[in-house]
Every structure is written in C-alpha cells, then in structure tokens.
Amino acid sequence: MHWKNVVTPQSPIPVFAVTGTADTSVPGNGTSNGKTSDGTWWYTSMDKLAELWTDAQGGDGVSSQYSTMYDGVNDLWCKAVHSNIDHVLCSWNGKHNYFGGT
C-alpha cells in the first residue's frame, strides 16, 4: 500500500502480512512515526498498515489470536486484526526471507 494513498475497495480484500523481526531490508516494525526509510523507499510498520487497511475496508478492529500449526516455531505468532474481514498479521524471528528459510 502506498503511503497516504488509500482507495476504498468495492469489496473487502483479504490481507495476509508476514514479517521477520530481524529483517533489515524491509523493516516491519517501523519507527515511532510509523515509517522508516532507506533514503529511497518508505516502509510502514505492520501496525500502521493494519490501521490503513482498517480505514480502507471498514474493519471493526476486534483482534484475536490467529492460530496456526507453526505457532511458536522461530517465535512465530499471528493475529487476526478484525472479526469482520480477513486480515492477518504474522511475525517471526527471521530476516528478509520466507518463513523457515535461512
């Protein structure tokens, strides 16, 4: 999602976002103002992305744990951000690679 360019979709779009806590290529945790930069790209924190998608899709903000068969593997955790649309955020102890990759 481009920063400050939120267009409301005609119907909800499922969101599944995964970030590694040790990712320095595309940091998923942002900074106190919600974004970080490498000088050419702006990166938005996972919480800020959830907020932007909430505004765009009319999410109710009722979050809960999203259980997977991999919970706890490499410190993986996931949460459903809303109860009325499919929006899941996951984080794990990894870098800029796929979950379980090296």
Side-chain angles (χ1 to χ4, degrees), residues 7-79:
V7 177
T8 303
Q10 292 182 353
S11 60
I13 299 170
V15 176
F16 183 74
V18 181
T19 187
T21 57
D23 187 344
T24 57
S25 298
V26 180
N29 297 321
T31 61
S32 60
N33 66 359
K35 55 187 172 180
T36 105
S37 172
D38 68 0
T40 56
W41 289 90
W42 288 95
Y43 303 110
T44 305
S45 71
M46 295 284 274
D47 288 337
K48 184 64 176 180
L49 283 174
E51 178 186 321
L52 292 169
W53 277 105
T54 295
D55 294 346
Q57 301 200 95
D60 61 13
V62 177
S63 65
S64 61
Q65 179 182 0
Y66 186 88
S67 296
T68 75
M69 62 188 285
Y70 300 106
D71 287 353
V73 175
N74 292 323
D75 296 326
L76 177 77
W77 60 265
C78 297
K79 71 177 179 179

